[in-house]
Amino acid sequence: MPATKKPGNRQQDSGRSTPGSLPGGSIGSDEFAVGRYGKLFNSFNIDSEGRISAVELGVRLRESGILESDPRVADVWAELRHAVGDKGQTWIDLDGFIGLCKNGGGVVEKSIRGDFVIPDFAALQAEISTIFEGLQSVHGGHVADYIPQLGRVDPEKFGIALCTVDGQRFAIGDADNLFCVQSVCKPINYCLTLEEHGADIVHQHVGREPSGRGFNELTLNSDGLPHNPMINSGAIMCCSLLRPAWEMADRFDHVAETWRKLAGGGAVGFNNAVYLSERRTADRNFALGYFMREHQSFPTGTDLMETLEFYFQCCSIEVDAQALSVVAASLANGGVNPLTGERIFSADTVRKCLSLMSSCGMYDYSGEFAFVIGLPAKSGVSGGLMIVVPGVMGVCVWSPRLDAMGNSVRGVAFCKELVNRFNFHVYDSFAAGEVSGKRDPRRGKIEEEVASTIRLLWAASQGDLDVVRIALATGKDPNSMDYDRRTALHLAASEGHLDVVRYLLDRGASPTVQDRWGGTPLSDAQRGAKGSVVTLLESAAALVV
Ligand code: GLN
């Protein structure tokens, strides 16, 4: 049986990668990195040469939801593909592994540790797949046919995609078919107006109450303003506020560029046929425009025709479900794209937008949707639906058949299924899981507790005083134990880390605490013959009565 080489035996290594394995350069000589990543490395199957399989690493990344198109790990996947292509050699040594962990900006490490907002991503995928299959038999509703481009869409199309705030992704069905965003452009344009002018100015021109009326109804509030930015009149108003002094082309670029940033490399395009059709069949939107002009609701100097054209262009932006799920995830993540790390909107802008999506995002089904589903969402007449689970994930459902209010039938049905299974309704936190029968797939308090204990114990065993300091400074009990009742002091003593032992003792760690086998930090240090640590622990233990 081949001997398994563990990272602990690395003194004999030349530090060079074996042929066919990924290069690691000098990275492996970094003691700290070996300590930090060595145990992760050991969680894989290791061959007789001390290497792990690139295929296994790829599988682990995919299982946790880290896809090949993820820009954070583009280099990692390129390396993995390179390794696979090399005469079938698919091996990575520790140096190579450390290089990959460092390349991925922490994503690879988190993925292997299961340290994401949805730790059991496979279970969530399975649930979403079950919901997807169940909804295939739902055929209610009709596709929008006010323009031929929408009327011709295959009504059976159905795609779901999701992206968590950690960038874990999953898609099923027609998730890479392009569709025009239509009303889903409204929250994005609203965010842009907030960023440009601030809420005070924006809301001099548009209200923030649900209208209780259809999305394109000829109605204004008692101040002569559109009721909110999520219906047509309000969205036209937002368009009038967006970079009004700029050339039309630049105004559109500004919006399209924002979509691209929100989608983090996902598919974002423009459907010119939809735009031309929208413009030709827009009597109601023209009427809304004139109605608002009559009430002097627009900012001074607004060019109504340009504003309407700009609105039609924004409605004609195309995405696929995968891209829209990343857009939704950027909102779920407080305005920072989880895949690129780029901040696109301020947290304050996103909070305001999500508030209005919650109260007004689903046309005149919004009240019922808030009651039953309890999540901010926005639908469009093309059958796209963007759902935000704040702090957790963004979801897109695309299915073109609409109900009488203009919302995707399967989209709404999906939301009902989702919140029946998971406690994602914003007020679900008040209902105990056992009572509601709903599950919480998020990394919970227990997991957090376990994770922080592991972090402390790990740092103590590695002699990483900085991490130990941070753990205790953030309130971690210095006597926290793992399931074998081992404490940070046991581990630091076993490994002979004098500075960590001293620090823990100063902060109240017990020198006499017994682990599962009756071992104390002192007996651990004695077994390892760690002279100065033994002396220190002996005097500390002597003080314990
Ligand atoms: N382009 C459509 C309109 O203005 C968008 C409306 C919608 O998606 N509800 O009528």
Side-chain angles (χ1 to χ4, degrees), residues 146-147 150 181-186 215-216 230-232 236 274 278 281-282 284-285 288 311-312 315-316 363 378-383 402 405-406:
Y146 70 96
I147 55 172
L150 288 178
V181 294
Q182 294 292 352
S183 279
V184 182
C185 73
K186 292 170 180 168
F215 67 88
N216 59 0
M230 303 297 158
I231 54 174
N232 283 20
I236 294 167
V274 168
E278 286 285 344
T281 44
R284 176 56 64 93
N285 286 322
L288 285 169
Y311 169 66
F312 305 141
C315 289
S316 308
Y363 311 122
K378 186 72 200 87
S379 61
V381 281
S382 52
L402 308 178
M405 329 265 184

PDB file of all heavy atoms in Angstrom, residues 146-147 150 181-186 215-216 230-232 236 274 278 281-282 284-285 288 311-312 315-316 363 378-383 402 405-406, ligand 1:
ATOM      1  N   TYR A 146     -49.042  42.139 -26.567  1.00  0.00           N
ATOM      2  CA  TYR A 146     -49.249  43.505 -27.053  1.00  0.00           C
ATOM      3  C   TYR A 146     -48.175  43.905 -28.070  1.00  0.00           C
ATOM      4  O   TYR A 146     -48.332  44.875 -28.813  1.00  0.00           O
ATOM      5  CB  TYR A 146     -49.306  44.500 -25.870  1.00  0.00           C
ATOM      6  CG  TYR A 146     -47.998  44.728 -25.164  1.00  0.00           C
ATOM      7  CD1 TYR A 146     -47.193  45.817 -25.491  1.00  0.00           C
ATOM      8  CD2 TYR A 146     -47.539  43.841 -24.183  1.00  0.00           C
ATOM      9  CE1 TYR A 146     -45.974  46.025 -24.858  1.00  0.00           C
ATOM     10  CE2 TYR A 146     -46.332  44.049 -23.547  1.00  0.00           C
ATOM     11  CZ  TYR A 146     -45.558  45.132 -23.886  1.00  0.00           C
ATOM     12  OH  TYR A 146     -44.350  45.319 -23.266  1.00  0.00           O
ATOM     13  N   ILE A 147     -47.065  43.150 -28.084  1.00  0.00           N
ATOM     14  CA  ILE A 147     -46.098  43.299 -29.186  1.00  0.00           C
ATOM     15  C   ILE A 147     -45.781  41.892 -29.701  1.00  0.00           C
ATOM     16  O   ILE A 147     -45.761  40.933 -28.920  1.00  0.00           O
ATOM     17  CB  ILE A 147     -44.794  44.040 -28.778  1.00  0.00           C
ATOM     18  CG1 ILE A 147     -44.107  43.362 -27.571  1.00  0.00           C
ATOM     19  CG2 ILE A 147     -45.056  45.506 -28.485  1.00  0.00           C
ATOM     20  CD1 ILE A 147     -42.720  43.939 -27.253  1.00  0.00           C
ATOM     21  N   LEU A 150     -43.092  39.535 -28.034  1.00  0.00           N
ATOM     22  CA  LEU A 150     -43.439  38.806 -26.807  1.00  0.00           C
ATOM     23  C   LEU A 150     -44.454  37.713 -27.115  1.00  0.00           C
ATOM     24  O   LEU A 150     -44.382  36.604 -26.573  1.00  0.00           O
ATOM     25  CB  LEU A 150     -43.995  39.767 -25.747  1.00  0.00           C
ATOM     26  CG  LEU A 150     -42.978  40.708 -25.104  1.00  0.00           C
ATOM     27  CD1 LEU A 150     -43.656  41.645 -24.110  1.00  0.00           C
ATOM     28  CD2 LEU A 150     -41.870  39.936 -24.394  1.00  0.00           C
ATOM     29  N   VAL A 181     -36.006  42.509 -20.235  1.00  0.00           N
ATOM     30  CA  VAL A 181     -36.271  42.673 -18.809  1.00  0.00           C
ATOM     31  C   VAL A 181     -37.621  43.341 -18.551  1.00  0.00           C
ATOM     32  O   VAL A 181     -38.225  43.148 -17.502  1.00  0.00           O
ATOM     33  CB  VAL A 181     -35.144  43.449 -18.086  1.00  0.00           C
ATOM     34  CG1 VAL A 181     -33.863  42.665 -18.099  1.00  0.00           C
ATOM     35  CG2 VAL A 181     -34.949  44.850 -18.664  1.00  0.00           C
ATOM     36  N   GLN A 182     -38.100  44.158 -19.505  1.00  0.00           N
ATOM     37  CA  GLN A 182     -39.358  44.901 -19.328  1.00  0.00           C
ATOM     38  C   GLN A 182     -39.372  45.603 -17.966  1.00  0.00           C
ATOM     39  O   GLN A 182     -38.436  46.301 -17.647  1.00  0.00           O
ATOM     40  CB  GLN A 182     -40.552  43.956 -19.526  1.00  0.00           C
ATOM     41  CG  GLN A 182     -40.654  43.454 -20.960  1.00  0.00           C
ATOM     42  CD  GLN A 182     -41.033  44.556 -21.951  1.00  0.00           C
ATOM     43  OE1 GLN A 182     -41.369  45.662 -21.571  1.00  0.00           O
ATOM     44  NE2 GLN A 182     -40.938  44.271 -23.234  1.00  0.00           N
ATOM     45  N   SER A 183     -40.390  45.348 -17.163  1.00  0.00           N
ATOM     46  CA  SER A 183     -40.514  46.133 -15.925  1.00  0.00           C
ATOM     47  C   SER A 183     -39.422  45.849 -14.895  1.00  0.00           C
ATOM     48  O   SER A 183     -39.324  46.579 -13.905  1.00  0.00           O
ATOM     49  CB  SER A 183     -41.865  45.859 -15.270  1.00  0.00           C
ATOM     50  OG  SER A 183     -42.839  46.631 -15.899  1.00  0.00           O
ATOM     51  N   VAL A 184     -38.632  44.792 -15.118  1.00  0.00           N
ATOM     52  CA  VAL A 184     -37.554  44.522 -14.161  1.00  0.00           C
ATOM     53  C   VAL A 184     -36.462  45.602 -14.269  1.00  0.00           C
ATOM     54  O   VAL A 184     -35.594  45.714 -13.412  1.00  0.00           O
ATOM     55  CB  VAL A 184     -37.010  43.086 -14.349  1.00  0.00           C
ATOM     56  CG1 VAL A 184     -35.929  42.770 -13.329  1.00  0.00           C
ATOM     57  CG2 VAL A 184     -38.138  42.070 -14.245  1.00  0.00           C
ATOM     58  N   CYS A 185     -36.579  46.446 -15.332  1.00  0.00           N
ATOM     59  CA  CYS A 185     -35.632  47.571 -15.404  1.00  0.00           C
ATOM     60  C   CYS A 185     -35.969  48.632 -14.359  1.00  0.00           C
ATOM     61  O   CYS A 185     -35.143  49.475 -14.032  1.00  0.00           O
ATOM     62  CB  CYS A 185     -35.623  48.182 -16.803  1.00  0.00           C
ATOM     63  SG  CYS A 185     -37.086  49.161 -17.215  1.00  0.00           S
ATOM     64  N   LYS A 186     -37.207  48.585 -13.840  1.00  0.00           N
ATOM     65  CA  LYS A 186     -37.653  49.697 -12.984  1.00  0.00           C
ATOM     66  C   LYS A 186     -36.856  49.832 -11.680  1.00  0.00           C
ATOM     67  O   LYS A 186     -36.421  50.930 -11.342  1.00  0.00           O
ATOM     68  CB  LYS A 186     -39.161  49.566 -12.719  1.00  0.00           C
ATOM     69  CG  LYS A 186     -39.962  49.800 -14.003  1.00  0.00           C
ATOM     70  CD  LYS A 186     -41.426  49.455 -13.891  1.00  0.00           C
ATOM     71  CE  LYS A 186     -42.125  49.729 -15.225  1.00  0.00           C
ATOM     72  NZ  LYS A 186     -43.466  49.192 -15.328  1.00  0.00           N
ATOM     73  N   PHE A 215     -50.549  48.304 -13.568  1.00  0.00           N
ATOM     74  CA  PHE A 215     -49.211  48.895 -13.719  1.00  0.00           C
ATOM     75  C   PHE A 215     -49.166  50.065 -14.690  1.00  0.00           C
ATOM     76  O   PHE A 215     -48.276  50.896 -14.629  1.00  0.00           O
ATOM     77  CB  PHE A 215     -48.187  47.828 -14.123  1.00  0.00           C
ATOM     78  CG  PHE A 215     -48.383  47.242 -15.497  1.00  0.00           C
ATOM     79  CD1 PHE A 215     -47.811  47.838 -16.614  1.00  0.00           C
ATOM     80  CD2 PHE A 215     -49.138  46.096 -15.670  1.00  0.00           C
ATOM     81  CE1 PHE A 215     -47.977  47.294 -17.872  1.00  0.00           C
ATOM     82  CE2 PHE A 215     -49.308  45.548 -16.937  1.00  0.00           C
ATOM     83  CZ  PHE A 215     -48.744  46.150 -18.042  1.00  0.00           C
ATOM     84  N   ASN A 216     -50.137  50.101 -15.650  1.00  0.00           N
ATOM     85  CA  ASN A 216     -50.051  51.191 -16.623  1.00  0.00           C
ATOM     86  C   ASN A 216     -51.299  52.067 -16.565  1.00  0.00           C
ATOM     87  O   ASN A 216     -51.659  52.721 -17.534  1.00  0.00           O
ATOM     88  CB  ASN A 216     -49.817  50.650 -18.036  1.00  0.00           C
ATOM     89  CG  ASN A 216     -50.920  49.720 -18.480  1.00  0.00           C
ATOM     90  OD1 ASN A 216     -51.871  49.483 -17.729  1.00  0.00           O
ATOM     91  ND2 ASN A 216     -50.803  49.198 -19.678  1.00  0.00           N
ATOM     92  N   MET A 230     -42.154  51.689  -9.383  1.00  0.00           N
ATOM     93  CA  MET A 230     -42.256  50.310  -9.884  1.00  0.00           C
ATOM     94  C   MET A 230     -43.407  50.135 -10.881  1.00  0.00           C
ATOM     95  O   MET A 230     -43.637  49.040 -11.371  1.00  0.00           O
ATOM     96  CB  MET A 230     -42.431  49.329  -8.712  1.00  0.00           C
ATOM     97  CG  MET A 230     -41.323  49.397  -7.672  1.00  0.00           C
ATOM     98  SD  MET A 230     -39.708  48.928  -8.348  1.00  0.00           S
ATOM     99  CE  MET A 230     -38.625  49.740  -7.161  1.00  0.00           C
ATOM    100  N   ILE A 231     -44.168  51.195 -11.123  1.00  0.00           N
ATOM    101  CA  ILE A 231     -45.201  51.126 -12.158  1.00  0.00           C
ATOM    102  C   ILE A 231     -44.778  52.025 -13.316  1.00  0.00           C
ATOM    103  O   ILE A 231     -43.837  52.814 -13.176  1.00  0.00           O
ATOM    104  CB  ILE A 231     -46.590  51.551 -11.617  1.00  0.00           C
ATOM    105  CG1 ILE A 231     -46.504  52.933 -10.964  1.00  0.00           C
ATOM    106  CG2 ILE A 231     -47.131  50.511 -10.635  1.00  0.00           C
ATOM    107  CD1 ILE A 231     -47.849  53.489 -10.534  1.00  0.00           C
ATOM    108  N   ASN A 232     -45.477  51.923 -14.446  1.00  0.00           N
ATOM    109  CA  ASN A 232     -44.988  52.597 -15.652  1.00  0.00           C
ATOM    110  C   ASN A 232     -44.766  54.092 -15.476  1.00  0.00           C
ATOM    111  O   ASN A 232     -43.722  54.620 -15.850  1.00  0.00           O
ATOM    112  CB  ASN A 232     -45.953  52.354 -16.817  1.00  0.00           C
ATOM    113  CG  ASN A 232     -45.783  50.961 -17.383  1.00  0.00           C
ATOM    114  OD1 ASN A 232     -45.253  50.088 -16.705  1.00  0.00           O
ATOM    115  ND2 ASN A 232     -46.231  50.751 -18.600  1.00  0.00           N
ATOM    116  N   ILE A 236     -41.207  55.902 -15.944  1.00  0.00           N
ATOM    117  CA  ILE A 236     -40.957  56.947 -16.955  1.00  0.00           C
ATOM    118  C   ILE A 236     -40.376  58.175 -16.247  1.00  0.00           C
ATOM    119  O   ILE A 236     -39.419  58.794 -16.718  1.00  0.00           O
ATOM    120  CB  ILE A 236     -42.266  57.282 -17.712  1.00  0.00           C
ATOM    121  CG1 ILE A 236     -42.703  56.063 -18.539  1.00  0.00           C
ATOM    122  CG2 ILE A 236     -42.105  58.519 -18.588  1.00  0.00           C
ATOM    123  CD1 ILE A 236     -44.112  56.134 -19.088  1.00  0.00           C
ATOM    124  N   VAL A 274     -37.670  44.436 -30.024  1.00  0.00           N
ATOM    125  CA  VAL A 274     -38.576  44.740 -28.910  1.00  0.00           C
ATOM    126  C   VAL A 274     -38.684  46.260 -28.752  1.00  0.00           C
ATOM    127  O   VAL A 274     -39.780  46.819 -28.622  1.00  0.00           O
ATOM    128  CB  VAL A 274     -38.083  44.089 -27.597  1.00  0.00           C
ATOM    129  CG1 VAL A 274     -38.852  44.628 -26.391  1.00  0.00           C
ATOM    130  CG2 VAL A 274     -38.222  42.573 -27.670  1.00  0.00           C
ATOM    131  N   GLU A 278     -42.043  48.284 -29.008  1.00  0.00           N
ATOM    132  CA  GLU A 278     -42.520  49.019 -27.825  1.00  0.00           C
ATOM    133  C   GLU A 278     -42.883  50.439 -28.231  1.00  0.00           C
ATOM    134  O   GLU A 278     -43.914  50.980 -27.841  1.00  0.00           O
ATOM    135  CB  GLU A 278     -41.430  49.068 -26.742  1.00  0.00           C
ATOM    136  CG  GLU A 278     -41.198  47.767 -26.008  1.00  0.00           C
ATOM    137  CD  GLU A 278     -42.293  47.439 -25.005  1.00  0.00           C
ATOM    138  OE1 GLU A 278     -43.071  48.321 -24.645  1.00  0.00           O
ATOM    139  OE2 GLU A 278     -42.375  46.261 -24.613  1.00  0.00           O
ATOM    140  N   THR A 281     -46.171  50.733 -30.194  1.00  0.00           N
ATOM    141  CA  THR A 281     -47.443  50.334 -29.566  1.00  0.00           C
ATOM    142  C   THR A 281     -47.543  50.917 -28.161  1.00  0.00           C
ATOM    143  O   THR A 281     -47.994  50.255 -27.248  1.00  0.00           O
ATOM    144  CB  THR A 281     -47.517  48.797 -29.453  1.00  0.00           C
ATOM    145  OG1 THR A 281     -46.258  48.334 -29.000  1.00  0.00           O
ATOM    146  CG2 THR A 281     -47.908  48.126 -30.715  1.00  0.00           C
ATOM    147  N   ALA A 282     -47.111  52.156 -28.037  1.00  0.00           N
ATOM    148  CA  ALA A 282     -46.949  52.698 -26.684  1.00  0.00           C
ATOM    149  C   ALA A 282     -47.971  53.779 -26.356  1.00  0.00           C
ATOM    150  O   ALA A 282     -47.684  54.700 -25.602  1.00  0.00           O
ATOM    151  CB  ALA A 282     -45.537  53.236 -26.526  1.00  0.00           C
ATOM    152  N   ARG A 284     -50.458  53.976 -24.421  1.00  0.00           N
ATOM    153  CA  ARG A 284     -50.709  54.196 -23.010  1.00  0.00           C
ATOM    154  C   ARG A 284     -49.529  54.920 -22.343  1.00  0.00           C
ATOM    155  O   ARG A 284     -49.704  55.820 -21.539  1.00  0.00           O
ATOM    156  CB  ARG A 284     -50.985  52.854 -22.301  1.00  0.00           C
ATOM    157  CG  ARG A 284     -51.168  52.981 -20.799  1.00  0.00           C
ATOM    158  CD  ARG A 284     -52.279  53.974 -20.456  1.00  0.00           C
ATOM    159  NE  ARG A 284     -53.562  53.520 -20.924  1.00  0.00           N
ATOM    160  CZ  ARG A 284     -54.439  52.811 -20.192  1.00  0.00           C
ATOM    161  NH1 ARG A 284     -54.145  52.520 -18.957  1.00  0.00           N
ATOM    162  NH2 ARG A 284     -55.589  52.427 -20.700  1.00  0.00           N
ATOM    163  N   ASN A 285     -48.291  54.484 -22.692  1.00  0.00           N
ATOM    164  CA  ASN A 285     -47.138  55.137 -22.079  1.00  0.00           C
ATOM    165  C   ASN A 285     -47.025  56.604 -22.528  1.00  0.00           C
ATOM    166  O   ASN A 285     -46.666  57.465 -21.733  1.00  0.00           O
ATOM    167  CB  ASN A 285     -45.859  54.353 -22.397  1.00  0.00           C
ATOM    168  CG  ASN A 285     -45.787  53.058 -21.596  1.00  0.00           C
ATOM    169  OD1 ASN A 285     -46.177  53.034 -20.427  1.00  0.00           O
ATOM    170  ND2 ASN A 285     -45.332  51.981 -22.223  1.00  0.00           N
ATOM    171  N   LEU A 288     -49.554  58.383 -20.489  1.00  0.00           N
ATOM    172  CA  LEU A 288     -49.046  58.607 -19.125  1.00  0.00           C
ATOM    173  C   LEU A 288     -48.072  59.785 -19.103  1.00  0.00           C
ATOM    174  O   LEU A 288     -48.096  60.618 -18.200  1.00  0.00           O
ATOM    175  CB  LEU A 288     -48.341  57.344 -18.604  1.00  0.00           C
ATOM    176  CG  LEU A 288     -49.239  56.188 -18.172  1.00  0.00           C
ATOM    177  CD1 LEU A 288     -48.397  54.920 -17.946  1.00  0.00           C
ATOM    178  CD2 LEU A 288     -49.992  56.546 -16.890  1.00  0.00           C
ATOM    179  N   TYR A 311     -37.078  55.101 -21.836  1.00  0.00           N
ATOM    180  CA  TYR A 311     -37.802  54.063 -21.076  1.00  0.00           C
ATOM    181  C   TYR A 311     -37.982  52.794 -21.919  1.00  0.00           C
ATOM    182  O   TYR A 311     -37.730  51.684 -21.434  1.00  0.00           O
ATOM    183  CB  TYR A 311     -39.162  54.616 -20.608  1.00  0.00           C
ATOM    184  CG  TYR A 311     -40.081  53.555 -20.046  1.00  0.00           C
ATOM    185  CD1 TYR A 311     -39.761  52.888 -18.859  1.00  0.00           C
ATOM    186  CD2 TYR A 311     -41.259  53.205 -20.705  1.00  0.00           C
ATOM    187  CE1 TYR A 311     -40.592  51.902 -18.359  1.00  0.00           C
ATOM    188  CE2 TYR A 311     -42.096  52.222 -20.203  1.00  0.00           C
ATOM    189  CZ  TYR A 311     -41.765  51.567 -19.036  1.00  0.00           C
ATOM    190  OH  TYR A 311     -42.578  50.584 -18.542  1.00  0.00           O
ATOM    191  N   PHE A 312     -38.379  52.944 -23.196  1.00  0.00           N
ATOM    192  CA  PHE A 312     -38.563  51.751 -24.048  1.00  0.00           C
ATOM    193  C   PHE A 312     -37.234  51.010 -24.224  1.00  0.00           C
ATOM    194  O   PHE A 312     -37.193  49.784 -24.268  1.00  0.00           O
ATOM    195  CB  PHE A 312     -39.116  52.135 -25.430  1.00  0.00           C
ATOM    196  CG  PHE A 312     -40.400  52.931 -25.366  1.00  0.00           C
ATOM    197  CD1 PHE A 312     -40.631  53.987 -26.256  1.00  0.00           C
ATOM    198  CD2 PHE A 312     -41.382  52.642 -24.429  1.00  0.00           C
ATOM    199  CE1 PHE A 312     -41.801  54.740 -26.190  1.00  0.00           C
ATOM    200  CE2 PHE A 312     -42.559  53.385 -24.367  1.00  0.00           C
ATOM    201  CZ  PHE A 312     -42.762  54.433 -25.240  1.00  0.00           C
ATOM    202  N   CYS A 315     -36.528  48.949 -21.156  1.00  0.00           N
ATOM    203  CA  CYS A 315     -37.371  47.745 -21.127  1.00  0.00           C
ATOM    204  C   CYS A 315     -36.843  46.675 -22.081  1.00  0.00           C
ATOM    205  O   CYS A 315     -37.125  45.490 -21.913  1.00  0.00           O
ATOM    206  CB  CYS A 315     -38.805  48.079 -21.549  1.00  0.00           C
ATOM    207  SG  CYS A 315     -39.713  49.028 -20.329  1.00  0.00           S
ATOM    208  N   SER A 316     -36.085  47.108 -23.099  1.00  0.00           N
ATOM    209  CA  SER A 316     -35.650  46.175 -24.153  1.00  0.00           C
ATOM    210  C   SER A 316     -34.272  45.578 -23.863  1.00  0.00           C
ATOM    211  O   SER A 316     -33.723  44.849 -24.697  1.00  0.00           O
ATOM    212  CB  SER A 316     -35.621  46.900 -25.501  1.00  0.00           C
ATOM    213  OG  SER A 316     -36.856  47.544 -25.711  1.00  0.00           O
ATOM    214  N   TYR A 363     -46.971  44.614  -9.150  1.00  0.00           N
ATOM    215  CA  TYR A 363     -48.189  45.264  -9.655  1.00  0.00           C
ATOM    216  C   TYR A 363     -49.266  45.254  -8.572  1.00  0.00           C
ATOM    217  O   TYR A 363     -48.942  45.375  -7.392  1.00  0.00           O
ATOM    218  CB  TYR A 363     -48.665  44.617 -10.953  1.00  0.00           C
ATOM    219  CG  TYR A 363     -47.572  44.452 -11.977  1.00  0.00           C
ATOM    220  CD1 TYR A 363     -47.245  43.206 -12.495  1.00  0.00           C
ATOM    221  CD2 TYR A 363     -46.852  45.545 -12.432  1.00  0.00           C
ATOM    222  CE1 TYR A 363     -46.241  43.062 -13.443  1.00  0.00           C
ATOM    223  CE2 TYR A 363     -45.840  45.416 -13.377  1.00  0.00           C
ATOM    224  CZ  TYR A 363     -45.541  44.167 -13.871  1.00  0.00           C
ATOM    225  OH  TYR A 363     -44.544  44.027 -14.790  1.00  0.00           O
ATOM    226  N   LYS A 378     -39.548  41.726  -8.246  1.00  0.00           N
ATOM    227  CA  LYS A 378     -40.039  42.559  -9.348  1.00  0.00           C
ATOM    228  C   LYS A 378     -40.276  41.686 -10.557  1.00  0.00           C
ATOM    229  O   LYS A 378     -39.430  40.877 -10.927  1.00  0.00           O
ATOM    230  CB  LYS A 378     -39.010  43.660  -9.705  1.00  0.00           C
ATOM    231  CG  LYS A 378     -39.530  44.643 -10.739  1.00  0.00           C
ATOM    232  CD  LYS A 378     -40.582  45.565 -10.150  1.00  0.00           C
ATOM    233  CE  LYS A 378     -41.469  46.215 -11.194  1.00  0.00           C
ATOM    234  NZ  LYS A 378     -42.648  45.407 -11.575  1.00  0.00           N
ATOM    235  N   SER A 379     -41.445  41.856 -11.138  1.00  0.00           N
ATOM    236  CA  SER A 379     -41.780  41.049 -12.317  1.00  0.00           C
ATOM    237  C   SER A 379     -41.869  41.940 -13.548  1.00  0.00           C
ATOM    238  O   SER A 379     -41.969  43.158 -13.436  1.00  0.00           O
ATOM    239  CB  SER A 379     -43.113  40.353 -12.089  1.00  0.00           C
ATOM    240  OG  SER A 379     -44.112  41.327 -11.892  1.00  0.00           O
ATOM    241  N   GLY A 380     -41.823  41.301 -14.698  1.00  0.00           N
ATOM    242  CA  GLY A 380     -41.968  42.016 -15.964  1.00  0.00           C
ATOM    243  C   GLY A 380     -42.882  41.246 -16.897  1.00  0.00           C
ATOM    244  O   GLY A 380     -43.058  40.032 -16.722  1.00  0.00           O
ATOM    245  N   VAL A 381     -43.439  41.939 -17.906  1.00  0.00           N
ATOM    246  CA  VAL A 381     -44.404  41.277 -18.793  1.00  0.00           C
ATOM    247  C   VAL A 381     -43.791  40.199 -19.686  1.00  0.00           C
ATOM    248  O   VAL A 381     -44.514  39.440 -20.328  1.00  0.00           O
ATOM    249  CB  VAL A 381     -45.159  42.266 -19.717  1.00  0.00           C
ATOM    250  CG1 VAL A 381     -46.258  42.976 -18.994  1.00  0.00           C
ATOM    251  CG2 VAL A 381     -44.217  43.229 -20.388  1.00  0.00           C
ATOM    252  N   SER A 382     -42.469  40.133 -19.734  1.00  0.00           N
ATOM    253  CA  SER A 382     -41.843  39.058 -20.517  1.00  0.00           C
ATOM    254  C   SER A 382     -41.828  37.743 -19.731  1.00  0.00           C
ATOM    255  O   SER A 382     -41.372  36.727 -20.241  1.00  0.00           O
ATOM    256  CB  SER A 382     -40.409  39.459 -20.843  1.00  0.00           C
ATOM    257  OG  SER A 382     -39.757  39.837 -19.645  1.00  0.00           O
ATOM    258  N   GLY A 383     -42.307  37.781 -18.487  1.00  0.00           N
ATOM    259  CA  GLY A 383     -42.350  36.554 -17.681  1.00  0.00           C
ATOM    260  C   GLY A 383     -41.163  36.405 -16.757  1.00  0.00           C
ATOM    261  O   GLY A 383     -41.011  35.391 -16.076  1.00  0.00           O
ATOM    262  N   LEU A 402     -48.466  34.730 -18.147  1.00  0.00           N
ATOM    263  CA  LEU A 402     -48.766  35.707 -17.095  1.00  0.00           C
ATOM    264  C   LEU A 402     -50.178  35.517 -16.564  1.00  0.00           C
ATOM    265  O   LEU A 402     -51.070  35.064 -17.285  1.00  0.00           O
ATOM    266  CB  LEU A 402     -48.663  37.130 -17.659  1.00  0.00           C
ATOM    267  CG  LEU A 402     -47.383  37.496 -18.407  1.00  0.00           C
ATOM    268  CD1 LEU A 402     -47.488  38.930 -18.935  1.00  0.00           C
ATOM    269  CD2 LEU A 402     -46.157  37.342 -17.516  1.00  0.00           C
ATOM    270  N   MET A 405     -52.823  39.862 -13.451  1.00  0.00           N
ATOM    271  CA  MET A 405     -52.149  41.088 -12.985  1.00  0.00           C
ATOM    272  C   MET A 405     -50.879  41.378 -13.791  1.00  0.00           C
ATOM    273  O   MET A 405     -50.252  42.416 -13.598  1.00  0.00           O
ATOM    274  CB  MET A 405     -51.704  40.969 -11.528  1.00  0.00           C
ATOM    275  CG  MET A 405     -52.536  40.129 -10.672  1.00  0.00           C
ATOM    276  SD  MET A 405     -53.728  41.095  -9.811  1.00  0.00           S
ATOM    277  CE  MET A 405     -54.425  39.779  -8.845  1.00  0.00           C
ATOM    278  N   GLY A 406     -50.409  40.409 -14.583  1.00  0.00           N
ATOM    279  CA  GLY A 406     -49.183  40.623 -15.358  1.00  0.00           C
ATOM    280  C   GLY A 406     -47.961  39.970 -14.748  1.00  0.00           C
ATOM    281  O   GLY A 406     -46.836  40.224 -15.189  1.00  0.00           O
TER     282      GLY A 406
HETATM  283  N1  GLN B   1     -42.725  47.752 -21.773  1.00  0.00           N
HETATM  284  C1  GLN B   1     -43.831  47.484 -20.904  1.00  0.00           C
HETATM  285  C2  GLN B   1     -44.725  48.690 -20.823  1.00  0.00           C
HETATM  286  O1  GLN B   1     -44.249  49.753 -20.585  1.00  0.00           O
HETATM  287  C3  GLN B   1     -43.290  47.107 -19.570  1.00  0.00           C
HETATM  288  C4  GLN B   1     -44.354  46.912 -18.584  1.00  0.00           C
HETATM  289  C5  GLN B   1     -44.213  45.712 -17.753  1.00  0.00           C
HETATM  290  O2  GLN B   1     -43.288  44.895 -17.830  1.00  0.00           O
HETATM  291  N2  GLN B   1     -45.198  45.523 -16.939  1.00  0.00           N
HETATM  292  O3  GLN B   1     -45.906  48.559 -20.982  1.00  0.00           O
END
